């Protein structure tokens, strides 16, 4: 490491102001700070000192995402192996499957057996990692391009965006759409507003929303959640709806009692959904893994427990209202027990990792409660009222992002008025 440090110090003058490679300083700086701790520290007062800089904060979020990442690989492989071994499906046919995935499985001697944990993890990783690599290559180069043109450092925030984005995608998403989605999220969701710290929308969700509306057939329905094919040619995706999609398609009449277990397409239980061995976006299925991430984010002071609590309370309140008046509706989602909303779809993942984005969320302490509550209420309303959007947390968070400045403004103005009134009476 000493030799590497000396090498970096030797070439640094070429990248600093006046050097031949001045324009490429962001590249030098990003590699240097990735390998070594920056030497610029505050040594004297009166500055506020904190050991948690941007890099450490982003690293902690990546650690918090660890359980969801591991679950994304395992569950993606488990769902595919389950469809292949027990329901007669075949490996989904594409170039990577033909030349990489199946040869690797054969080389390692791993069968498509859902009871084989190694097979589930390896096969799932072979689907998740290409999506992640495309995200990092395309999004990373765009970050680099904007950093060079603007002459600023590459922000570590993309490490989190680049991890969140693939976790919100179905395993069968074409890789060219992954590239298109992350490019849209980075450019339109962040860089066009000035980069990290200046964007008011979550870049990962912006990219996902773009794909959702631009290529809906690859992002929703019942044929995109399992990396397996239903026919011998391996062309059509294996049909396997998510819990929300299955329930939304259920026909009910007002006053009819609907059993959520019987109505879902796979007779899933509450705890099946809680642990996450169900079809869905790769990293969003396990509420348990999201809770582990929430504990890390709250303990480290990075994730706001007020926002998370606000989202949960808002969802439970709206779900309880709809459940109380379910006899007046023919919408099957109105018959869902409010607590079920917390474990299906991407609710837990969005609550823990998306709604708490420190850049696009409310800044004031009181505003965080209102911001979280608004997202919770909107999530259940979107899910229930519009059956075209069985998953509502994505649009609800983007709506919350837009409303966050207004919420903070209202909170601050309320404080100003209260203080003015207090001073007037003294």
């Amino acid at each position: 490491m000493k030799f590497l440090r000396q090498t970096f110090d030797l070439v640094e003058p070429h990248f600093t102001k006046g050097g031949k490679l001045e324009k490429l300083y962001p590249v030098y700086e990003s590699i240097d700070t990735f390998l070594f701790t920056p030497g610029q520290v505050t040594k004297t007062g009166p500055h506020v000192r904190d050991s948690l800089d941007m890099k450490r904060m982003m690293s902690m979020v990546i650690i918090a995402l660890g359980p969801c990442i591991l679950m994304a690989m395992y569950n993606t492989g488990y769902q595919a192996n389950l469809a292949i071994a027990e329901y007669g499906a075949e490996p989904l046919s594409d170039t990577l499957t033909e030349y990489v995935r199946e040869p690797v499985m054969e080389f390692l001697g791993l069968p498509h057996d859902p009871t084989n944990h190694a097979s589930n993890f390896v096969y799932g990783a072979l689907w998740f990692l290409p999506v992640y690599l495309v995200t990092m290559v395309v999004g990373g180069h765009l970050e680099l391009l904007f950093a060079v043109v603007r002459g600023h450092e590459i922000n570590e925030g993309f490490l989190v965006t680049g991890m969140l984005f693939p976790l919100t995608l179905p395993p069968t998403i074409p890789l060219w759409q992954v590239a298109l989605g992350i490019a849209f999220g980075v450019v339109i969701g962040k860089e066009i507003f000035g980069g990290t710290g200046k964007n008011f929308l979550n870049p990962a969700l912006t990219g996902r929303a773009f794909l959702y509306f631009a290529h809906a057939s690859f992002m929703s329905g019942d044929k995109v959640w399992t990396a397996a094919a239903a026919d011998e040619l391996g062309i059509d995706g294996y049909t396997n709806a998510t819990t929300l999609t299955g329930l939304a398609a259920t026909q009910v009449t007002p006053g009819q009692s609907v059993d959520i277990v019987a109505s879902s397409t796979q007779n899933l239980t509450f705890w099946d959904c809680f642990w996450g061995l169900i079809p869905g976006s790769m990293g969003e299925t396990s509420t348990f893994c999201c809770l582990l991430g929430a504990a890390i984010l709250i303990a480290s002071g990075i994730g706001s427990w007020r926002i998370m609590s606000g989202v949960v309370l808002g969802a439970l309140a709206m779900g309880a209202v709809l459940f109380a008046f379910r006899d007046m509706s023919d919408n099957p989602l109105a018959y869902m027990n409010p607590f079920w909303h917390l474990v299906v779809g991407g609710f837990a993942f969005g609550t823990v990792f998306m709604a708490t984005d420190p850049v696009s969320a409310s800044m004031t302490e009181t505003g965080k409660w209102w911001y979280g509550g608004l997202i919770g209420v909107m999530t259940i309303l979107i899910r229930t009222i519009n059956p075209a959007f069985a998953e509502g947390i994505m649009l609800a968070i983007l709506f919350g992002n837009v409303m966050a400045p207004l919420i903070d403004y209202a909170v601050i103005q309320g404080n100003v008025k209260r203080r003015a009134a207090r001073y007037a009476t003294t």
Side-chain angles (χ1 to χ4, degrees):
M1 295 300 289
K2 185 177 180 181
F3 170 76
L4 195 58
R5 181 66 267 171
Q6 291 175 341
T7 302
F8 271 90
D9 292 339
L10 184 64
V11 301
E12 183 179 6
H14 297 295
F15 292 94
T16 54
K17 190 172 183 179
K20 297 178 180 177
L21 303 175
E22 177 185 355
K23 289 286 186 183
L24 296 180
Y25 178 75
V27 179
Y28 167 82
E29 191 277 338
S30 63
I31 299 174
D32 186 24
T33 57
F34 181 79
L35 296 174
F36 300 97
T37 302
Q40 297 83 7
V41 296
T42 301
K43 297 180 179 178
T44 60
H47 306 292
V48 175
R49 284 171 285 177
D50 194 330
S51 60
L52 191 65
D53 59 6
M54 177 71 81
K55 180 187 294 183
R56 305 294 173 261
M57 180 184 293
M58 294 300 116
S59 300
M60 191 61 70
V61 177
I62 295 295
I63 293 173
L65 281 168
C68 289
I69 296 169
L70 295 176
M71 187 64 185
M73 296 183 187
Y74 183 85
N75 188 52
T76 299
Y78 172 77
Q79 296 297 330
N81 285 338
L82 185 67
I84 294 169
E86 298 192 9
Y87 299 111
E90 295 189 356
L92 195 61
S93 177
D94 63 12
T95 303
L96 280 178
T97 297
E98 182 178 358
Y99 293 104
V100 178
R101 297 186 184 105
E102 290 307 314
V104 169
M105 295 291 284
E106 292 179 7
F107 175 77
L108 296 176
L110 296 174
H112 287 292
D113 180 1
T115 63
N116 187 321
H117 300 308
S119 173
N120 294 336
F121 190 83
V122 171
Y123 197 57
L126 291 172
W127 283 94
F128 175 79
L129 290 178
V131 176
Y132 176 67
L133 291 176
V134 169
T135 299
M136 296 304 293
V137 169
V138 175
H141 277 81
L142 286 171
E143 286 274 347
L144 174 62
L145 176 63
F146 276 91
V148 170
V149 171
R150 290 174 173 162
H152 62 65
E153 300 173 354
I154 297 177
N155 299 122
E156 292 83 355
F158 179 70
L159 295 177
V160 174
T161 300
M163 184 55 72
L164 289 174
F165 182 68
L167 291 173
T168 65
L169 300 177
T172 58
I173 184 79
L175 295 181
W176 67 269
Q177 290 186 13
V178 176
L180 195 61
I182 190 62
F184 188 90
V186 169
V187 176
I188 305 300
K190 185 171 70 172
E191 295 297 343
I192 199 171
F193 299 106
T196 299
K198 300 178 181 178
N199 55 293
F200 67 95
L201 293 175
N202 184 298
L205 274 184
T206 303
R208 189 185 190 280
F210 169 77
L211 290 180
Y212 189 84
F213 290 109
H215 304 284
S217 62
F218 293 91
M219 295 291 292
S220 60
D222 57 1
K223 294 183 178 180
V224 302
W225 308 112
T226 305
D231 62 5
E232 295 181 354
L233 297 178
I235 297 175
D236 295 326
Y238 174 74
T239 300
N240 201 7
T242 64
T243 307
L244 280 173
T245 305
L247 184 61
T250 303
Q251 298 295 322
V252 299
T253 55
Q256 174 187 353
S257 177
V258 175
D259 182 353
I260 177 67
V261 176
S263 299
S264 66
T265 56
Q266 304 167 79
N267 289 329
L268 297 172
T269 68
F270 180 90
W271 293 108
D272 289 333
C273 296
F274 178 80
W275 296 116
L277 291 173
I278 57 175
S281 296
M282 287 189 282
E284 296 183 344
T285 60
S286 175
T287 303
F288 173 73
C289 291
C290 292
L291 287 177
L292 293 178
I296 295 173
L297 292 180
I298 292 173
S300 59
I302 296 175
S304 170
W305 64 269
R306 291 179 177 84
I307 293 177
M308 297 183 202
S309 302
V311 176
V312 172
L313 292 175
L316 288 176
M318 195 68 244
V321 170
L322 294 173
F323 190 71
F325 294 96
R326 62 189 182 281
D327 290 344
M328 301 169 64
S329 172
D330 61 354
N331 190 320
L333 285 171
Y335 291 77
M336 178 183 281
N337 186 302
F339 289 99
W340 268 85
H341 283 290
L342 307 183
V343 297
V344 296
F347 181 87
F349 189 84
T351 299
V352 174
F353 297 107
M354 297 293 198
T356 56
D357 179 358
V359 177
S360 56
S362 285
M363 301 294 179
T364 58
E365 299 303 316
T366 303
K368 290 176 181 176
W369 284 103
W370 288 104
Y371 169 80
L374 175 65
I375 292 175
V377 169
M378 290 299 297
T379 298
I380 306 306
L381 280 178
I382 294 172
R383 280 181 175 181
T384 306
I385 293 178
N386 193 338
F389 300 106
E391 177 52 75
I393 188 77
M394 172 188 67
L395 297 177
I397 293 175
L398 289 175
F399 181 74
N401 291 163
V402 175
M403 297 299 293
L406 184 61
I407 292 173
D408 285 337
Y409 177 80
V411 171
I412 293 172
Q413 290 303 310
N415 288 337
V416 170
K417 290 181 180 179
R418 282 193 294 273
R419 288 190 177 188
R422 188 162 60 241
Y423 290 144
T425 58
T426 57

